[in-house]
Amino acid sequence: MNTDQIVRTFLEYFEDRGHRRITGSTLLPPPGDSVLFTTSGMHPLTPYLEGRPHPLGRRLTNVQRCLRTTDLDEVGDRTHLTVFEMLGTWSLGDYGGPSSLDWGYGLLTEGLGIDPGLLHVTVFGGDDLTGPDTASLEVWQGRGVPVELTVEDNWWSNGPTGPCGPDSEIFLWTGDTPPESTPTGDERWVEVWNHVMMRYRRLADGSLVPLPQHNVDTGLGVERLASLLQGRTSVFECDVFDPWRRLLPALWQLDEVSLRLVCDHVRSAIVVIGDGVRPASTGRGYVLRRLLRRVLTVLRRDDPSRGLGDLPDELVRHTLDRFRQDEDPDVVRRVLLDEEHRFGRLLERGRQVLARPRFRGPLSEEDLHHLHDTYGLPRDLVLNLRPQ
């Protein structure tokens, strides 16, 4: 299946089971949300997970674009992306975790054709505040799927306080050998789908109180699922990235990890700009600025003549279309080039500052803070200009 077929299969499967399809929001979370960007499909649904009736009912499904910067340093490996699409389902006080897991198993094995023998799951094993998730354990034992019990890895929360609960994660074996070990013991087990049984609210003192309604919140990354189903070795080889892998290697000669980072960060920057964010020194704008500076640092490391002006128009249009955004591609290109020019001026200032006697020796943490606070030179940029 190509990615569009996978998304369609997922949504139709749950529509056949009474779920209403809702429209995904932008990367900008709803007012009052403490995060800068939407990081999961549940963010726009927070009021409904807390008890407000949803106009389309108690069973919902959608595809939502998300941005996560907590994994920024891992981008370049096989599985992590900064901007991605997430498929999700929700039960707002309707069915429980066992039904969600049973349907999830059916979709993966029957709807998407995954060999059940390549699956492994993890389940919450219990702690001092709440017991083990025996209902989920019984579902998987009944299906003959091997289970690993964990504690911290299978407890989901949206922060130190707020909705939370046990979860069960489904993993797919990606090794060349028959499956072995467990998800926490072998990285060849790749997480595919997380089912959260959102039953509690954690208070500021750490205690748990039951939510007014028990919800189920599930999510799985589109690109990661597509790469696994298409037999690819990384998310950057699924069909979504076909235009990038066709055009960029001929344009910029990069090693594989650098190519992945450039593809991810430029693609993410286009989506962030498409949702109305512009580079700035704080907040969302700084996330965008940091993404672009990381790209430019990699591009210019071996060849100062490389720049975003060389980026093919096809990639800008492809990304905006993929994420269903209406922004003018020419506007996106202008934002990219303006930020590149700003970065060039910053590089020149950085070289002049670092040439001063004070900074000619090894740089201390105090030096790095001073360079940032006084001259606006980020740590990444300084270390690139003057490796320790």
Side-chain angles (χ1 to χ4, degrees), residues 75 126 193 297 324:
V75 170
W193 200 348
T297 297
R324 301 167 296 282

PDB file of all heavy atoms in Angstrom, residues 75 126 193 297 324:
ATOM      1  N   VAL A  75      16.740  12.871  15.169  1.00  0.00           N
ATOM      2  CA  VAL A  75      16.408  12.907  13.750  1.00  0.00           C
ATOM      3  C   VAL A  75      17.653  12.576  12.941  1.00  0.00           C
ATOM      4  O   VAL A  75      18.732  13.130  13.174  1.00  0.00           O
ATOM      5  CB  VAL A  75      15.863  14.292  13.348  1.00  0.00           C
ATOM      6  CG1 VAL A  75      15.758  14.408  11.830  1.00  0.00           C
ATOM      7  CG2 VAL A  75      14.510  14.528  13.991  1.00  0.00           C
ATOM      8  N   GLY A 126       1.707  -2.147  36.775  1.00  0.00           N
ATOM      9  CA  GLY A 126       1.262  -1.717  38.101  1.00  0.00           C
ATOM     10  C   GLY A 126       2.362  -1.035  38.896  1.00  0.00           C
ATOM     11  O   GLY A 126       3.555  -1.280  38.697  1.00  0.00           O
ATOM     12  N   TRP A 193       1.954   1.454  17.447  1.00  0.00           N
ATOM     13  CA  TRP A 193       0.652   1.994  17.836  1.00  0.00           C
ATOM     14  C   TRP A 193       0.549   2.009  19.343  1.00  0.00           C
ATOM     15  O   TRP A 193       0.862   1.011  20.010  1.00  0.00           O
ATOM     16  CB  TRP A 193      -0.436   1.110  17.247  1.00  0.00           C
ATOM     17  CG  TRP A 193      -1.803   1.697  17.121  1.00  0.00           C
ATOM     18  CD1 TRP A 193      -2.283   2.855  17.663  1.00  0.00           C
ATOM     19  CD2 TRP A 193      -2.892   1.142  16.385  1.00  0.00           C
ATOM     20  NE1 TRP A 193      -3.590   3.054  17.312  1.00  0.00           N
ATOM     21  CE2 TRP A 193      -3.988   2.019  16.525  1.00  0.00           C
ATOM     22  CE3 TRP A 193      -3.041  -0.014  15.625  1.00  0.00           C
ATOM     23  CZ2 TRP A 193      -5.229   1.762  15.932  1.00  0.00           C
ATOM     24  CZ3 TRP A 193      -4.272  -0.265  15.025  1.00  0.00           C
ATOM     25  CH2 TRP A 193      -5.355   0.617  15.177  1.00  0.00           C
ATOM     26  N   THR A 297      23.611  24.922   8.681  1.00  0.00           N
ATOM     27  CA  THR A 297      24.898  24.514   9.245  1.00  0.00           C
ATOM     28  C   THR A 297      25.400  23.253   8.572  1.00  0.00           C
ATOM     29  O   THR A 297      26.588  23.134   8.227  1.00  0.00           O
ATOM     30  CB  THR A 297      24.767  24.298  10.755  1.00  0.00           C
ATOM     31  OG1 THR A 297      24.410  25.534  11.382  1.00  0.00           O
ATOM     32  CG2 THR A 297      26.077  23.815  11.357  1.00  0.00           C
ATOM     33  N   ARG A 324      -1.996  19.316   3.246  1.00  0.00           N
ATOM     34  CA  ARG A 324      -3.269  19.995   2.980  1.00  0.00           C
ATOM     35  C   ARG A 324      -3.234  21.466   3.423  1.00  0.00           C
ATOM     36  O   ARG A 324      -4.114  21.954   4.118  1.00  0.00           O
ATOM     37  CB  ARG A 324      -4.427  19.253   3.679  1.00  0.00           C
ATOM     38  CG  ARG A 324      -4.556  17.796   3.222  1.00  0.00           C
ATOM     39  CD  ARG A 324      -5.473  16.986   4.113  1.00  0.00           C
ATOM     40  NE  ARG A 324      -4.941  16.879   5.473  1.00  0.00           N
ATOM     41  CZ  ARG A 324      -3.967  16.068   5.845  1.00  0.00           C
ATOM     42  NH1 ARG A 324      -3.376  15.275   4.974  1.00  0.00           N
ATOM     43  NH2 ARG A 324      -3.565  16.040   7.100  1.00  0.00           N
TER      44      ARG A 324
END
